[in-house]
Amino acid sequence: MQPQDISTPDPTIVLELLEAFRRSKTMFAAVSLGVFDALVASQLTAAELARQLSLEPNATERLLNACVGLGLLQKFGEAYANSPQSTTYLTQTSPRRMTGYIQYSNDVAWKLWANLEGAIREGHHRWQETYGWEGPIFSSFFKTDEAAREFLMGMNGFGVMSSPAVVNAFDLSRFKTLVDLGGATGHLVTAACQRYSHLRGILFDLPDAVGLAQEMISNSPQADRI
């Protein structure tokens, strides 16, 4: 008689998804509390960081150690320091920052996802259920120019990573002009013009977005072709 196989399927994917939101929220909280910004200039202990940011020391140390475990911080003795990724993507002073989109994810999307079941049952968005109104969506959240700018810069952080790959995936050599509708900060059209020296680009977006787009594009070598 052959022995019975009593093994069970690999649970890794379930276990990873089960606790994935905890990792996301840890990063969201650290960004929102200003942890990574505080560590740009120098290394700090948990007590020093807690004092600087007006946080509870023991809870702060637990958050910092969690960020070390996630690879977002490094620890040297009792002092904590940013990882290269955190300085690049999670600090307000970085041109590649994603903090605006992270804050949006923390303050807006996080609550919406809690109502996903209702969206599937009814096939309708959950803005009314979650926030008590239908829209306009973005003007309700970005009440200042600075808030809108930070969101766009967060999207720019995504774009400068993805747009070169998108441009490389298509042969645009036969085209003379590329028009990017809803082009935000211009990362896609800039990447296209960088790859194809003959190409001219046009960015089209809402007036509130165009000012930042002009600012970002003006700093690129392709500015005279966009």
Side-chain angles (χ1 to χ4, degrees):
M1 179 179 294
Q2 292 293 324
Q4 184 178 357
D5 183 2
I6 62 171
S7 62
T8 56
D10 182 0
T12 299
I13 186 170
V14 174
L15 295 175
E16 287 183 347
L17 291 172
L18 180 64
E19 60 90 34
F21 78 94
R22 295 174 173 89
R23 287 178 280 164
S24 296
K25 187 59 178 176
T26 297
M27 181 179 70
F28 294 170
V31 170
S32 179
L33 293 169
V35 168
F36 304 110
D37 289 319
L39 294 173
V40 168
S42 63
Q43 300 177 14
L44 296 171
T45 66
E48 290 169 337
L49 193 63
R51 186 164 53 252
Q52 182 173 323
L53 299 178
S54 300
L55 306 175
E56 200 282 323
N58 290 330
T60 300
E61 186 172 15
R62 292 188 178 95
L63 176 64
L64 297 179
N65 287 334
C67 288
V68 172
L70 293 173
L72 300 175
L73 292 178
Q74 300 170 318
K75 190 173 184 181
F76 303 96
E78 295 300 314
Y80 297 86
N82 282 345
S83 68
Q85 291 84 354
S86 294
T87 296
T88 302
Y89 302 116
L90 303 180
T91 61
Q92 294 281 337
T93 54
S94 172
R96 290 180 173 267
R97 65 188 180 273
M98 301 173 69
T99 51
Y101 195 75
I102 288 172
Q103 294 284 19
Y104 172 80
S105 298
N106 191 34
D107 299 337
V108 181
W110 184 269
K111 298 173 185 176
L112 279 173
W113 279 86
N115 295 315
L116 178 61
E117 293 88 344
I120 303 303
R121 291 190 188 100
E122 300 177 14
H124 190 265
H125 68 71
R126 313 317 290 173
W127 293 103
Q128 178 68 38
E129 178 183 358
T130 307
Y131 300 108
W133 40 253
E134 293 289 336
I137 296 168
F138 289 107
S139 62
S140 298
F141 289 114
F142 309 127
K143 299 183 183 302
T144 66
D145 291 341
E146 184 60 29
R149 178 187 177 93
E150 276 306 298
F151 175 77
L152 287 170
M153 284 301 299
M155 296 300 292
N156 183 74
F158 273 113
V160 294
M161 289 188 287
S162 62
S163 288
V166 172
V167 171
N168 289 340
F170 297 94
D171 181 8
L172 304 178
S173 59
R174 66 185 186 278
F175 299 107
K176 296 180 179 179
T177 304
L178 181 145
V179 180
D180 188 3
L181 303 179
T185 56
H187 45 78
L188 179 61
V189 71
T190 300
C193 289
Q194 183 178 10
R195 180 168 173 80
Y196 296 96
S197 59
H198 70 284
L199 194 66
R200 300 190 67 83
I202 297 173
L203 183 143
F204 186 89
D205 211 317
L206 296 172
D208 290 344
V210 169
L212 180 57
Q214 291 172 326
E215 178 184 330
M216 299 296 289
I217 291 171
S218 68
N219 294 323
S220 75
Q222 293 75 39
D224 61 339
R225 290 189 283 122
I226 301 173

